Amino acid sequence: MATNTYLSKPTGTVTSVTQTGFATSAVQARTNTAADTTVFGNTARVYSATIEDNSLTVTLFMTYAASEVYATLATLVGTQTTVVVKPTSAAVGATNPNFTLTGAYLETLPVLNATLGEISQIDITFTGGVYTAAIV
């Protein structure tokens, strides 16, 4: 029988600063860019992996207090950093892997996203970086 994961307490850190209390969504993708290596005689396209192009997109409630969202992210725009996400706050293990992007680049930080009567949320995307998954 399949086991489904219900994420009620995922964790996330950016440059070792937890952003868990502000995050509402996280999507980490491991991508290996394909190169077409099809040659004469092949009857179907053939692709080979070239270089990884990983990403992590996070939706956060925007806050401006010290040590919170803006204060943590503002100095990271245009730089590389380490981001880590886990499905739960429990210890790292086979059912709770630790996903890390080391050297991930933050190109853009929306500094304001305001709508009357709504809590401000921003989406940030870290791109690139070396992907690792720790299970123990």
Side-chain angles (χ1 to χ4, degrees), residues 32-72:
N32 217 314
T33 305
D36 187 342
T37 55
T38 308
V39 297
F40 292 137
N42 288 135
T43 58
R45 290 267 179 219
V46 177
Y47 294 94
S48 296
T50 59
I51 192 165
E52 285 193 19
D53 188 13
N54 303 306
S55 66
L56 170 65
T57 300
V58 182
T59 301
L60 299 160
F61 288 118
M62 183 53 124
T63 63
Y64 301 95
S67 300
E68 291 187 357
V69 175
Y70 180 78
T72 300

Side-chain angles (χ1 to χ4, degrees), residues 71-111:
T72 300
L73 299 175
T75 59
L76 297 178
V77 177
T79 67
Q80 296 175 344
T81 190
T82 298
V83 291
V84 180
V85 292
K86 282 193 316 183
T88 75
S89 58
V92 174
T95 60
N96 192 42
N98 194 38
F99 301 109
T100 303
L101 286 180
T102 304
Y105 181 76
L106 181 61
E107 181 177 15
T108 303
L109 174 63
V111 296

